[in-house]
Amino acid sequence: MAEYIMAEKNNRMIPEEDKIFALNARAKKMSEEVGRDKVINATIGSLLDDDGKLVMLLSVVKALKGLEPLDFAEYAPIGGTTDFKKAVKKAAFGKHRSSSFVEVVATPGGTGALRNIVANYSKIGDRVLTSDWFWGPYKTITGELYRELCLYPMFDENNRFNKKGFSEELNKLAADQESVLILLNTPSHNPTGYSLDGDDWNGISEAVKEASKKARITLFVDAAYIDFAGDEEEYRTFLPKLEDMPSNVLPVIGYSFSKTFTLYGMRCGAMIAMAPSEEIAAEFKLVNEFSARGTWSNSTRSGQVLVSKVYEDEDLLESVNKERAGYREMLIKRGKAFSNSVIEAGLPLVPFDSGFFSCIPLKDPAAVSKRLEEKGIFVVPLAKGIRVSVASISEEICRKLPGMIAEVIE
Ligand SMILES: Cc1ncc(COP(=O)(O)O)c(C=O)c1O
């Protein structure tokens, strides 16, 4: 909408409707009209079972039912309860023992961590660095806060992570701004499913060290999908790299229990600073708690109590981890089936590792998506391709879908 009646535009381009919610609504409507078996809805960003039902970890649900009324009713401290902060460190770090000054601030989901990091570690008018394939709300959040995204090309001509592109854009920003905020979504990047490997991290680390000679750097690792990527320890091996940084670099992890505990609706997440000094850690707590007070105030207490209870009880934690591992296996199989079939169908695939989504690069994603929709196939058109949620379709459909997409493209 270009002009508002009463509302202010405030640096935003607000679409009339949310693209993904609208697609989902059309998929549901078609499903009711022609039957569920004639519709493929690969738009949803939550893990569904093969019957299209939301996956919920029953051990988590059981623990939730055991909470006391006070756990729901009482306010949580602005930065989160002490036990929650302890649990978050265990959840995010796994076996890694941090040598940094670690500080945790609770946020409503991973989205809250993103909003706080942009609000507090970039200035109005700044450009925030992320890849050219990115999760839409990165643009919403930066726009709302009068910042802009600066996009580096995520993959090079050999379809490898573009270390050079990353370094070039970062160094340009570092020359222009006093500080640079970087948003890296890994592992299982949304929308591509790519996970940065050791070599990519070495390149990032080198580039950050170089750029930090010119500007302060905040390196935000959006790890929303970390517990659905694969082996929990293997996918945390990047953590030590974050601790080998100059003193004007602040690594922060964005952690979400939306996926990890299937608690999407409870808005439970955190931002974790791995600060190079005690002062930077104390400042992190101060500014982010202040910002929280000015936006959502405190986060949901019941989610925090639940997470603390799970991490305090070894048996319960083991059953949650075991249950999640089963669903993770299901998701990994779907992702493999989809990516193999894309290649067999002769289609290009954006480098994929794991996670909820995979992308096929296309010249005219909107037109292809429209034609797919006519055939009852719902995917999300992005700027550079279509996003398929393997999280919301069965392994069998993952295998069939690329052939159907290839037919439509031809
Ligand atoms: C890339 C990315 N970051 C963060 C989030 C955080 O989500 P939530 O606020 O539900 O925890 C999501 C969820 O879809 C995501 O895709």
Side-chain angles (χ1 to χ4, degrees):
M1 199 183 260
E3 298 294 333
Y4 293 102
I5 307 156
M6 296 293 288
E8 299 294 352
K9 192 162 181 275
N10 287 347
N11 196 42
R12 299 165 305 176
M13 277 297 299
I14 305 179
E16 295 277 310
E17 58 179 7
D18 181 282
K19 185 171 68 181
I20 301 182
F21 284 109
L23 271 162
N24 192 22
R26 292 206 294 277
K28 274 196 180 145
K29 188 164 173 274
M30 190 186 274
S31 194
E32 276 157 24
E33 285 165 5
V34 300
R36 214 173 74 77
D37 56 326
K38 306 224 167 39
V39 175
I40 296 175
N41 186 358
T43 64
I44 303 168
S46 319
L47 184 61
L48 307 186
D49 65 16
D50 288 353
D51 296 322
K53 298 213 175 68
L54 186 73
V55 165
M56 287 176 283
L57 300 181
L58 296 181
S59 44
V60 171
V61 174
K62 198 168 153 218
L64 184 61
K65 285 185 177 161
L67 296 192
E68 299 295 330
L70 255 188
D71 299 332
F72 293 92
E74 207 182 346
Y75 283 128
I78 302 281
T81 68
T82 309
D83 289 343
F84 176 68
K85 292 183 187 192
K86 264 194 231 157
V88 164
K89 287 183 210 166
K90 288 188 197 163
F93 290 159
K95 293 206 168 76
H96 174 68
R97 294 289 158 263
S98 177
S99 57
S100 309
F101 294 86
V102 176
E103 189 58 69
V104 178
V105 174
T107 56
T111 309
L114 276 155
R115 180 159 178 117
N116 257 2
I117 206 75
V118 174
N120 290 303
Y121 291 88
S122 65
K123 285 207 293 269
I124 290 176
D126 268 1
R127 301 179 77 210
V128 173
L129 187 66
T130 199
S131 50
D132 55 356
W133 293 92
F134 63 91
W135 186 43
Y138 285 11
K139 194 166 179 189
T140 313
I141 293 169
T142 46
E144 280 250 311
L145 294 167
Y146 293 82
R147 278 76 162 169
E148 214 186 302
L149 285 179
C150 169
L151 306 177
Y152 65 89
M154 188 164 168
F155 301 104
D156 63 17
E157 58 286 357
N158 301 315
N159 252 347
R160 301 284 313 263
F161 177 72
N162 195 339
K163 290 185 281 193
K164 189 161 167 273
F166 173 82
S167 175
E168 277 173 9
E169 289 305 321
L170 174 59
N171 276 290
K172 270 193 244 160
L173 283 187
D176 286 352
Q177 298 179 179
E178 286 170 12
S179 69
V180 182
L181 170 62
I182 305 166
L183 306 178
L184 281 182
N185 175 208
T186 189
S188 311
H189 173 258
N190 177 2
T192 65
Y194 188 72
S195 301
L196 295 170
D197 66 19
D199 184 51
D200 301 334
W201 272 110
N202 289 342
I204 287 168
S205 175
E206 242 173 67
V208 168
K209 283 178 184 164
E210 186 55 37
S212 73
K213 292 177 189 158
K214 289 176 269 186
R216 287 175 274 124
I217 312 272
T218 303
L219 180 57
F220 183 82
V221 181
D222 177 354
Y225 296 92
I226 194 166
D227 295 310
F228 275 97
D231 181 84
E232 281 156 12
E233 289 310 316
E234 199 186 309
Y235 278 92
R236 280 168 170 76
T237 50
F238 69 88
L239 289 170
K241 306 226 187 251
L242 299 178
E243 305 196 287
D244 170 33
M245 290 283 175
S247 60
N248 63 345
V249 176
L250 174 63
V252 178
I253 308 281
Y255 194 79
S256 166
F257 290 94
S258 303
K259 276 93 191 168
T260 291
F261 270 39
T262 63
L263 281 182
Y264 309 88
M266 286 194 73
R267 312 311 302 137
C268 191
M271 54 203 309
I272 307 151
M274 298 166 80
S277 72
E278 208 170 345
E279 292 73 26
I280 292 176
E283 178 189 80
F284 174 87
K285 177 172 155 53
L286 184 78
V287 297
N288 288 300
E289 289 189 357
F290 185 84
S291 259
R293 188 67 175 125
T295 43
W296 48 79
S297 190
N298 31 31
S299 301
T300 315
R301 185 183 192 98
S302 47
Q304 295 178 26
V305 178
L306 171 68
V307 167
S308 323
K309 286 212 150 67
V310 171
Y311 277 89
E312 278 158 13
D313 179 339
E314 269 183 30
D315 294 339
L316 180 55
L317 179 61
E318 202 188 313
S319 40
V320 171
N321 286 343
K322 222 168 145 191
E323 211 184 332
R324 185 191 312 109
Y327 287 115
R328 183 169 57 222
E329 220 28 62
M330 173 183 88
L331 182 68
I332 289 172
K333 280 191 190 151
R334 289 181 186 174
K336 279 203 181 117
F338 182 78
S339 49
N340 289 341
S341 293
V342 167
I343 293 160
E344 277 163 26
L347 291 171
L349 180 72
V350 181
F352 171 84
D353 172 61
S354 56
F356 281 37
F357 309 105
S358 183
C359 284
I360 296 175
L362 287 171
K363 283 230 167 62
D364 194 349
V368 172
S369 160
K370 197 159 170 274
R371 267 183 285 143
L372 285 168
E373 188 171 330
E374 286 158 13
K375 293 193 177 298
I377 299 168
F378 291 80
V379 297
V380 177
L382 303 172
K384 300 179 68 176
I386 51 171
R387 185 190 84 170
V388 173
S389 163
V390 296
S392 67
I393 53 177
S394 68
E395 189 181 335
E396 191 196 335
I397 294 180
C398 282
R399 215 167 275 120
K400 284 200 307 209
L401 187 56
M404 296 159 96
I405 296 174
E407 252 176 50
V408 165
I409 292 173
E410 271 164 24

